[in-house]
Amino acid sequence: MRSFRSVILCADDFGLADGVSRGIVELAWKGRLSATGAMTNMPGWRRAAPDLKPLKDRIAVGLHLNFTVGVPLGEMPDLAADGVFPPLQILLAKALKRQLQASEIAAEIARQLDAFTQAFGAPPAFVDGHQHVHILPGIRKALIEALAVRGYAGRTWLRDPADRAASVLRRPVGRSKALVVKALAKGFARQTHLAGFSTNKGFSGFAPLDLSIPVARVFGEAFSHLGPHPVVMCHPGYVDDELRALDPVVDSRIEELNYLRSDAFWELLEQRGLRLSPEIA
């Protein structure tokens, strides 16, 4: 009998816009995803969260911690003085310079966690970050502490967006971005494990958003050279006016959606001997 390896395929950005959430829910019902991360500061989260409840035994539903899109759930006079989160470049600069205010970051993490449990009715299965912000200095420690205080160790795992250098180098698509994120994530898994939390081992799915590379090749590389407990990220969704107002590059989302529900994607999994799973081990 043929054996299959388990891999988590995680759709990021649930709640970003109704079209994104609708596409993710459709893929989940078809068995073409095994996890999704929710942006609980976005208005679309409360509208779409009920659609995830019937799926809780089919996919892992986690918190997609967000500090770069939309508005915070409470006042953040230092990071979001005008009431809107800054772009990643500004957040990254402040984080690397150790200029993020610890109390402000911790308070917003707590609010986003509360927004998750209030709407979903259960703690997140995992936590990751929009644009991987959860690994940044000034955020990672506060996140681990917030989860520990809530007693989530052993219940909630954290997504490590790093992978072995050998694996990253063998995937040309998104390689540069993957190497940058790997460097930023240095020490993240160790800190997480010391606090009693699990992480995935292996991460892929970095890709350009401008359709410069065929989506079949993007996923073909993402599902190659996998780690022992891998996560592959993706960003499918329908395009609507709400999404266009938030993100100027949207065409790749519908292309990913179409590929993931295609026979070609299922054939890829079969050829590679892979099965989608909501669990990291």
Side-chain angles (χ1 to χ4, degrees):
M1 181 178 294
R2 186 182 182 188
S3 62
F4 289 85
R5 287 194 58 196
S6 294
V7 56
I8 295 176
L9 177 59
C10 181
D12 290 355
D13 302 345
F14 189 90
L16 175 64
D18 287 350
V20 171
S21 299
R22 179 163 60 92
I24 290 171
V25 168
E26 288 184 10
L27 289 172
W29 278 117
K30 291 178 181 293
R32 301 304 178 95
L33 293 172
S34 56
T36 189
M39 302 173 75
T40 64
N41 73 302
M42 304 299 291
W45 162 241
R46 288 193 175 277
R47 294 195 300 266
D51 295 333
L52 287 178
K53 290 182 179 180
L55 288 161
K56 64 181 181 180
D57 294 328
R58 297 171 65 99
I59 66 171
V61 180
L63 172 66
H64 198 50
L65 186 68
N66 178 22
F67 283 101
T68 59
V69 176
V71 301
L73 292 174
E75 293 185 3
M76 300 187 73
D78 180 65
L79 182 63
D82 59 355
V84 178
F85 280 132
L88 177 62
Q89 298 92 323
I90 292 177
L91 176 72
L92 181 59
K94 291 178 72 72
L96 295 179
K97 293 176 183 177
R98 305 302 195 270
Q99 293 177 345
L100 295 176
Q101 290 193 5
S103 60
E104 190 174 271
I105 295 297
E108 180 62 16
I109 290 173
R111 289 189 289 261
Q112 293 189 26
L113 283 167
D114 288 342
F116 184 97
T117 56
Q118 289 165 7
F120 190 63
F126 64 93
V127 178
D128 57 28
H130 185 58
Q131 299 179 308
H132 315 292
V133 299
H134 65 301
I135 63 171
L136 295 179
I139 296 178
R140 69 164 70 174
K141 182 174 182 290
L143 173 60
I144 293 170
E145 290 177 350
L147 295 173
V149 166
R150 291 168 185 248
Y152 288 176
R155 304 169 63 190
T156 297
W157 54 273
L158 283 84
R159 190 167 87 179
D160 180 5
D163 203 348
R164 298 168 297 185
S167 295
V168 174
L169 293 173
R170 294 175 73 181
R171 301 186 199 109
V173 175
R175 180 191 294 155
S176 297
K177 187 182 295 184
L179 291 172
V180 170
V181 173
K182 175 178 173 61
L184 290 171
K186 183 178 180 180
F188 176 76
R190 180 181 58 80
Q191 289 175 262
T192 300
H193 298 160
L194 287 174
F197 294 90
S198 300
T199 63
N200 55 293
K201 295 179 181 178
F203 185 77
S204 58
F206 292 97
L209 301 178
D210 59 3
L211 299 180
S212 59
I213 298 174
V215 69
R217 180 184 168 192
V218 169
F219 281 100
E221 288 197 14
F223 281 95
S224 67
H225 313 297
L226 298 172
H229 303 295
V231 170
V232 176
M233 69 172 172
C234 60
H235 300 84
Y238 289 103
V239 177
D240 54 21
D241 291 340
E242 184 181 23
L243 179 61
R244 289 190 182 94
L246 294 166
D247 186 351
V249 183
V250 297
D251 292 341
S252 61
R253 291 185 185 270
I254 190 67
E255 290 293 320
E256 289 197 16
L257 177 70
N258 289 335
Y259 178 77
L260 290 173
R261 61 188 179 189
S262 72
D263 291 340
F265 173 58
W266 201 250
E267 291 168 2
L268 172 69
L269 296 180
E270 291 290 322
Q271 291 167 2
R272 303 280 174 91
L274 300 172
R275 283 287 184 264
L276 301 184
S277 169
E279 300 178 356
I280 57 173

